[in-house]
Amino acid sequence: MSPRPDTVTDLHAEPALARTLLSWEPLGFDPLIDHFRIYAVRGESAPEEPQESDLIAKTVYPNVAHTDLDPAGETWTYTVLAVSDAGRRGRPSAPVTATSQPSVTATGREIATIGAFDGRTLEHHLAPTSYAQIPEEFPDAVIEYEQGADEPGAAWPYLLPGPGDAWAGKKPYRARWTLTLDEAPQADLDLAVWLVDTTRLGGILRVSANHEHVTDIELPVGSTRGSREGDATVPGSTLRRSFHEPALPAALLQAGVNVLEFELAEGGWAAWDAVGVFARE
Amino acid sequence: MPASAAPASATAAAPAPVSRRRLLQASGASAAVIALGITAPTASAEEGPQPEGLFSLGVASGAPRPDGAVLWARLAPEPLAEDGHGGMELRDVTVRWHVAKDPEFRQIAARGQALAQPELAHAIHPKVEGLDPATDYYYRFSVGRQNSPVGRFRTLPAQGADVESFSVGVVSCQAWYHGHFTAHKHLAAEEELDLVVFVGDYIYEYAITASNLWRQGVEVGPAHQVETETLEQYRLRYALFKLDPHLQAVHARVPAVAVWDDHEVQNDYVGGGSSTGIPEDQFAYRIAVAYRAFYENMPLDIEALPEGPDSDITTGFDVGSLARFSLLDTRQFRDPAPMDAEDQQDPDRTMLGAEQEAWVTERLEQSPALWNVMANGVVVAAITEDRTDMWDGYPAARQRLLDAMVASSNPVVLTGDIHKHVAAELLADFTDPGSGTIGVELICTSVGSDGDGAKTDNYTDDWTQHEYVKHYDGRRGYIHLRFTPEELVSSFYVVDWIEADDTAPKQLSARFTTPAGDPRLIQA
């Protein structure tokens, strides 16, 4: 009989937007680890022995993301144990408690949004699979969207292609979002950019407001499946969501018409979940 | 033969980055324990009553030799138990095996026992030796009063012996959920059959959901509705596919040899790299469990038992003086997909890795065999430059392989991957249409992948634009090969449907003869 797996050590929890990222020390290959079992209990304590009803995930990797948490933030206590190829279980790790980062989509006052912050591209134009029509409908690589006049299903394609996308002409596509503010903001706003997936190329999403550079969002390497699958919340989905919430400086905005521009400057496409502008409360 | 992959780049791991090389150095001590599943142990495990149905996954033989073969069984009274252990208690069980010259087991030729252990999901791989060459044998396993189905194999002819004929079935791409394994039903009934060659995608890792479950008359539970990632999930996936009675019939009929392609791990993975952005040092854990499950579920020799994320499935054997088979691993050692056209043409790019490439080159150049057969996962013939997952993405490596083929006698490549039957002649140099034909590539359509299919489809023109492509058929099926000293006859069989049921009759899609000494495709 191969030995019992070691106890999982160095369990670490990193709060993130709408999720908590867990990682721990790998256990090597002897014995071969079938998988790690991750248990989570709401609040700041966990039972000494993990309960199977608290199992939230199994993974072969030494990390996992506890996803789909309330954007307002959730507190959980985690333990992890290893199972060997022979089905033997190691001792559970020491518990770790973490609270996910609250999102501006929950803490802020909504000013304008495109789409729903729900882990799906489905409400957007051409979703979930008709990406090939994007270069046909937008030959100049520019997408125009006017708040109040346009709807996501008709005017906001679910992918924003980039120079890494041969199928879209290898161009840095730009999505221009025109929105009208009744008055100039007195304080900085927050921009929420939630993506359902990106490509294996990663990339840079350049954000500007009224032609002034705001930030370059570094796109993570994704699964490249968001061009064909539109729902990251189905069990077992391999779509790799990412969440970005940079500040939108008040000085760049004005009363009346404003234009926010997203340019996929480097890399491959991003698949939109939703974008939004929020005021801090 | 290949021993290890190139070291992976140290991409970020959390919390403490660990290189794949360092992980490899820490692996391997379990091999001694697992070896008990191969050779007969001297001591029996403590026996107790076992549940009925231990042999629900059938039996198999493989790694054929002139004096024996590897036998295979995996005890699984509840084959779809979600922990991947098939309903077995997590303790050792002694399995007895017998090999006889007759199906009634009156003339026992060899016997032994092997220890089925939970480490290998109670799979055993006893190696039978001391048998006569070119002889039919029957085998079965037993635990307590339970006997397995009876399997059959024929030992290979003696080294250098004259051989009148040798018949081979070629199959690939078994997306169980896309339809019934009708192709296996017909293959198992072939009158002449000495061996089956699986050329990749024995399983598929994808989640089985309402959108891709086209095989009518079956349902699967939630455990199958996720992409395989853990060892228990890969074990479960093999069990699901291997429950198919027609696949079991093929395994029981003849020895099987196999190469893998990508779906035994993950779609389009390359070397140690994931296609979905998983850092390489972490993806190694998934490769390790996927390769382990492949070993556990196939009739492979001990050399294929992985150590961590490294496995050696590259192997070969001779069929007397008639044919030499080389089984190539076109996944584990390849360079990543090209970054651009210039990178694609880089002369240093490799598909096989230096060690495996040298191995197959030597085997080709020094082969005494009349026919030199290579089984590999992806298409060698040049089709389009954007098919970079195939040898089209590795043109310099392809040219080196073609050069080695030129030095051999009657090269034949067996391939899967594309879910279409394609028969192609191999040119000495695909950049020079006048360079001459040096061999043939016989590309087998899928058993299940893509469901019913049609003779022609959206991809037909990509393939048939080339004069050296002699046949294309997009339906499901298998290839039957008959090697003789005079010729190779390749018969491409198809079935018209697989989604509704397994009753579709087989049809001959095309048949070619390839004369020995003039390796091209002549429509028969």
Side-chain angles (χ1 to χ4, degrees):
Chain A
M1 191 77 160
S2 57
R4 180 176 183 159
D6 287 341
T7 303
V8 169
T9 59
D10 294 340
L11 177 60
H12 178 75
E14 180 186 339
L17 289 167
R19 56 199 177 140
T20 294
L21 309 176
L22 301 168
S23 59
W24 53 91
E25 188 68 19
L27 292 181
F29 295 105
D30 188 21
L32 185 66
I33 300 302
D34 180 326
H35 65 274
F36 296 98
R37 301 174 77 81
I38 297 90
Y39 300 87
V41 178
R42 279 187 188 278
E44 297 186 349
S45 64
E48 201 162 303
E49 289 296 325
Q51 307 295 306
E52 286 307 300
S53 56
D54 296 330
L55 183 73
I56 60 160
K58 293 187 273 188
T59 182
V60 75
Y61 306 115
N63 55 68
V64 75
H66 188 197
T67 58
D68 300 325
L69 300 182
D70 189 320
E74 291 186 35
T75 299
W76 292 77
T77 297
Y78 303 94
T79 53
V80 178
L81 63 80
V83 180
S84 73
D85 52 1
R88 301 189 75 186
R89 294 189 179 194
R91 295 288 308 149
S93 69
V96 166
T97 299
T99 302
S100 59
Q101 279 180 18
S103 163
V104 297
T105 63
T107 61
R109 176 172 52 83
E110 179 183 316
I111 294 176
T113 60
I114 302 176
F117 294 88
D118 60 358
R120 302 178 179 91
T121 64
L122 303 176
E123 71 273 30
H124 295 301
H125 185 45
L126 301 175
T129 60
S130 300
Y131 60 88
Q133 294 180 38
I134 294 175
E136 295 171 13
E137 291 191 21
F138 305 93
D140 298 332
V142 175
I143 295 150
E144 299 279 2
Y145 188 94
E146 185 176 349
Q147 193 71 23
D150 290 320
E151 291 296 328
W156 189 259
Y158 72 114
L159 297 187
L160 183 65
D165 297 312
W167 57 269
K170 295 186 175 180
K171 298 179 209 170
Y173 276 62
R174 287 175 289 170
R176 289 190 188 134
W177 182 14
T178 301
L179 64 165
T180 301
L181 299 178
D182 293 338
E183 55 188 25
Q186 300 301 306
D188 289 353
L189 305 180
D190 289 308
L191 178 66
V193 177
W194 287 23
L195 304 176
V196 166
D197 197 16
T198 47
T199 72
R200 69 190 67 170
L201 301 175
I204 298 288
L205 180 65
R206 183 155 294 151
V207 182
S208 61
N210 297 324
H211 308 295
E212 296 290 334
H213 181 255
V214 174
T215 188
D216 282 355
I217 294 174
E218 189 170 341
L219 298 178
V221 172
S223 78
T224 317
R225 292 201 183 161
S227 57
R228 298 182 300 276
E229 299 172 24
D231 188 349
T233 66
V234 296
S237 170
T238 56
L239 300 175
R240 294 169 74 90
R241 300 175 69 183
S242 65
F243 307 86
H244 314 274
E245 298 191 348
L248 203 51
L252 300 183
L253 302 172
Q254 60 195 10
V257 173
N258 292 267
V259 177
L260 297 181
E261 183 177 282
F262 303 93
E263 178 190 11
L264 217 151
E266 297 177 20
W269 53 255
W272 300 111
D273 180 346
V275 294
V277 174
F278 295 86
R280 298 171 185 175
E281 296 204 308
Chain B
M1 290 198 292
S4 63
S9 60
T11 44
V18 181
S19 74
R20 189 161 173 241
R21 175 181 287 260
R22 190 180 137 201
L23 295 172
L24 292 179
Q25 289 167 346
S27 68
S30 288
V33 175
I34 288 168
L36 292 174
I38 297 128
T39 55
T42 53
S44 296
E46 192 175 318
E47 297 294 341
Q50 296 294 330
E52 293 297 313
L54 289 175
F55 299 101
S56 65
L57 298 178
V59 298
S61 67
R65 301 183 315 283
D67 71 337
V70 167
L71 307 182
W72 175 93
R74 177 182 160 197
L75 308 183
E78 297 175 36
L80 300 184
E82 293 181 7
D83 68 356
H85 285 280
M88 294 295 291
E89 290 185 23
L90 302 179
R91 60 187 177 83
D92 298 348
V93 175
T94 299
V95 181
R96 300 185 306 282
W97 55 265
H98 290 83
V99 174
K101 289 195 171 183
D102 62 300
E104 291 77 31
F105 290 81
R106 295 192 182 97
Q107 303 176 62
I108 300 297
R111 73 181 76 204
Q113 58 186 27
L115 206 57
Q117 299 176 286
E119 281 81 358
L120 285 180
H122 292 93
I124 54 171
H125 298 74
K127 188 171 186 174
V128 186
E129 298 175 305
L131 304 181
D132 296 328
T135 303
D136 289 327
Y137 289 97
Y138 300 85
Y139 63 96
R140 70 182 175 202
F141 303 90
S142 53
V143 174
R145 293 180 180 175
Q146 291 189 57
N147 289 327
S148 74
V150 174
R152 189 175 92 176
F153 67 89
R154 182 174 177 81
T155 49
L156 293 177
Q159 196 73 27
D162 292 337
V163 179
E164 285 185 11
S165 71
F166 190 74
S167 294
V168 177
V170 185
V171 286
S172 76
C173 302
Q174 303 184 138
W176 176 93
Y177 43 84
H178 276 179
H180 296 267
F181 285 178
T182 319
H184 280 311
K185 183 173 87 168
H186 295 304
L187 176 60
E190 280 284 352
E191 198 168 316
E192 290 188 47
L193 195 64
D194 297 302
L195 179 77
V196 61
V197 181
F198 290 87
V199 283
D201 298 339
Y202 191 93
I203 62 158
Y204 278 70
E205 83 284 13
Y206 295 133
I208 302 175
T209 64
S211 64
N212 65 6
L213 184 54
W214 306 341
R215 174 187 275 230
Q216 294 176 25
V218 299
E219 294 179 356
V220 297
H224 305 277
Q225 294 168 7
V226 296
E227 182 166 320
T228 55
E229 175 192 300
T230 66
L231 181 56
E232 66 178 14
Q233 290 167 337
Y234 281 106
R235 285 170 166 170
L236 184 59
R237 189 57 57 93
Y238 278 99
L240 179 67
F241 284 30
K242 290 178 82 76
L243 278 172
D244 185 280
H246 304 313
L247 174 59
Q248 290 190 12
V250 168
H251 275 300
R253 169 83 195 274
V254 288
V257 295
V259 296
W260 55 40
D261 192 25
D262 52 344
H263 289 287
E264 284 83 357
V265 179
Q266 182 200 42
N267 181 44
D268 284 349
Y269 87 100
V270 174
S274 158
S275 60
T276 55
I278 301 163
E280 202 160 311
D281 58 347
Q282 297 182 26
F283 193 60
Y285 295 104
R286 181 162 170 188
I287 290 176
V289 299
Y291 285 3
R292 167 67 79 80
F294 183 77
Y295 174 76
E296 289 175 351
N297 286 280
M298 301 300 286
L300 298 171
D301 215 334
I302 181 66
E303 282 76 17
L305 175 65
E307 289 193 9
D310 274 356
S311 183
D312 183 2
I313 63 163
T314 307
T315 189
F317 53 89
D318 286 358
V319 181
S321 62
L322 181 67
R324 165 167 285 188
F325 283 74
S326 300
L327 307 181
L328 302 179
D329 179 348
T330 45
R331 275 291 151 195
Q332 193 175 184
F333 309 106
R334 62 160 69 185
D335 282 330
M339 291 176 289
D340 50 38
E342 185 182 357
D343 184 33
Q344 192 167 350
Q345 298 299 326
D346 185 339
D348 292 333
R349 281 176 61 72
T350 182
M351 172 67 91
L352 300 175
E355 198 171 345
Q356 184 178 217
E357 187 173 312
W359 176 82
V360 71
T361 299
E362 184 178 328
R363 280 179 66 80
L364 287 167
E365 291 177 350
Q366 299 183 2
S367 173
L370 180 64
W371 299 96
N372 284 280
V373 185
M374 284 150 284
N376 97 127
V378 288
V379 173
V380 173
I383 304 301
T384 57
E385 289 185 351
D386 62 352
R387 284 177 160 81
T388 57
D389 190 58
M390 312 192 319
W391 286 80
D392 271 331
Y394 305 77
R398 170 170 57 203
Q399 190 57 54
R400 294 194 297 274
L401 182 67
L402 293 169
D403 291 346
M405 287 186 201
V406 170
S408 75
S409 165
N410 300 307
V412 176
V413 177
L414 308 179
T415 306
D417 180 42
I418 62 168
H419 312 169
K420 325 287 178 193
H421 272 325
V422 170
E425 292 175 338
L426 294 171
L427 304 188
D429 177 354
F430 278 101
T431 65
D432 176 5
S435 60
T437 300
I438 59 144
V440 298
E441 182 170 23
L442 309 173
I443 303 164
C444 184
T445 190
S446 57
V447 170
S449 307
D450 290 348
D452 290 346
K455 182 167 173 46
T456 59
D457 51 37
N458 292 339
Y459 302 104
T460 306
D461 292 346
D462 281 1
W463 295 78
T464 58
Q465 64 176 316
H466 303 291
E467 274 192 31
Y468 47 83
V469 171
K470 303 298 184 187
H471 183 65
Y472 181 100
D473 194 318
R475 290 171 287 182
R476 311 287 72 82
Y478 66 95
I479 307 175
H480 182 269
L481 308 175
R482 188 170 187 270
F483 294 92
T484 70
E486 293 76 34
E487 64 183 8
L488 161 63
V489 178
S490 50
S491 303
F492 291 74
Y493 289 107
V494 294
V495 291
D496 264 344
W497 72 89
I498 63 165
E499 295 173 24
D501 56 37
D502 64 356
T503 64
K506 77 173 182 182
Q507 303 173 43
L508 182 65
S509 175
R511 176 172 287 152
F512 297 92
T513 58
T514 299
D518 185 15
R520 57 199 173 91
L521 295 166
I522 303 169
Q523 189 101 33

